[in-house]
Amino acid sequence: EPEVTQTPSHQVTQMGQEVILRCVPISNHLYFYWYRQILGQKVEFLVSFYNNEISEKSEIFDDQFSVERPDGSNFTLKIRSTKLEDSAMYFCASSETRLDGGRNSPLHFGNGTRLTVT
Amino acid sequence: KNEVEQSPQNLTAQEGEFITINCSYSVGISALHWLQQHPGGGIVSLFMLSSGKKKHGRLIATINIQEKHSSLHITASHPRDSAVYICAVRSNTGNQFYFGTGTSLTVIP
């Protein structure tokens, strides 16, 4: 069964450094998402992406964050200048179609990247 | 404010017991998801519902749109069902998702 893959599984970085988290969504999926989960807290929505642009973003997704689909397969989340509070598990997800119209489609999650900012 | 509330927060059951996890939400939704998060952190989508009821093996999910409530049932629970179960809803006014805090289930042999 096709999977969403994320790399690396664990990333350690120093405060102020830029990090790029990578995701390869399922190949025929059209909608891509990033979520984060701070240790011991609930999962939080960051951003959704469709047709090479952000379709929605949360308050968390400020100017320090950006997303990109640089080629036909990768979907990346960049944090420009990491802060200690960015330490979290970051999940990528994809879905085949838009969920609020037409045929509903479930989310498929990657295994996550654990980001530790020191 | 929490757009999605789950109960209970923690649940311990004996193997074989019937389990119910509840989810209430306060926003208009286009779909509700039940997710399973394993101890290692990975998330698996169990169900996506917009109405009625779905069944997959020993898992059953129901939703009542009028009451803004959903339940996840596990029949004949097994220790391998031990995980955190998360309710998440997709707003009907955009592509925003809201997550519950999860229900941590432990099934004892």
Side-chain angles (χ1 to χ4, degrees):
Chain A
E1 187 176 320
E3 290 181 341
V4 176
T5 56
Q6 288 186 243
T7 55
S9 56
H10 191 186
Q11 171 105 36
V12 181
T13 190
Q14 286 194 322
M15 194 168 56
Q17 296 295 305
E18 174 184 284
V19 293
I20 297 176
L21 309 183
R22 302 181 191 279
C23 171
V24 179
I26 294 172
S27 61
N28 65 334
H29 284 190
L30 301 176
Y31 290 87
F32 314 113
Y33 308 85
W34 282 102
Y35 302 90
R36 80 171 185 191
Q37 185 176 34
I38 296 170
L39 186 64
Q41 297 186 23
K42 66 180 181 180
V43 177
E44 298 171 295
F45 169 77
L46 291 178
V47 66
S48 61
F49 191 88
Y50 170 72
N51 199 25
N52 283 320
E53 60 182 25
I54 291 173
S55 57
E56 188 139 357
K57 59 184 181 179
S58 71
E59 292 174 352
I60 302 166
F61 194 88
D62 62 21
D63 291 344
Q64 290 298 311
F65 292 90
S66 62
V67 290
E68 195 177 33
R69 191 156 159 82
D71 53 43
S73 59
N74 290 287
F75 178 51
T76 61
L77 174 69
K78 182 193 289 186
I79 309 175
R80 288 192 180 81
S81 178
T82 50
K83 304 187 283 286
L84 294 176
E85 52 265 37
D86 293 327
S87 295
M89 181 77 94
Y90 288 82
F91 292 100
C92 172
S94 67
S95 67
E96 189 173 359
T97 62
R98 189 175 173 92
L99 300 180
D100 70 342
R103 183 163 55 94
N104 281 327
S105 178
L107 289 169
H108 295 256
F109 285 84
N111 285 330
T113 293
R114 182 168 297 284
L115 176 65
T116 302
V117 182
T118 62
Chain B
K1 72 175 184 187
N2 287 324
E3 292 82 1
V4 180
E5 298 278 359
Q6 282 185 240
S7 63
Q9 279 192 308
N10 296 285
L11 182 56
T12 301
Q14 288 291 133
E15 183 174 356
E17 282 186 15
F18 180 84
I19 287 161
T20 296
I21 299 171
N22 295 299
C23 174
S24 296
Y25 52 92
S26 59
V27 296
I29 69 167
S30 59
L32 181 144
H33 297 254
W34 280 104
L35 310 171
Q36 182 189 54
Q37 186 168 30
H38 297 285
I43 296 176
V44 174
S45 179
L46 298 174
F47 293 104
M48 187 188 68
L49 295 161
S50 54
S51 64
K53 175 179 172 179
K54 286 190 177 179
K55 184 176 190 292
H56 182 69
R58 295 179 295 105
L59 302 178
I60 303 165
T62 63
I63 188 168
N64 184 318
I65 297 293
Q66 287 73 31
E67 294 185 3
K68 296 190 172 181
H69 181 269
S70 175
S71 294
L72 176 69
H73 305 285
I74 305 175
T75 61
S77 58
H78 189 276
R80 65 174 174 266
D81 297 327
S82 299
V84 175
Y85 292 83
I86 301 170
C87 174
V89 301
R90 185 177 181 280
S91 167
N92 62 2
T93 59
N95 211 11
Q96 173 77 271
F97 279 85
Y98 302 99
F99 289 78
T101 53
T103 295
S104 178
L105 172 65
T106 303
V107 182
I108 300 170

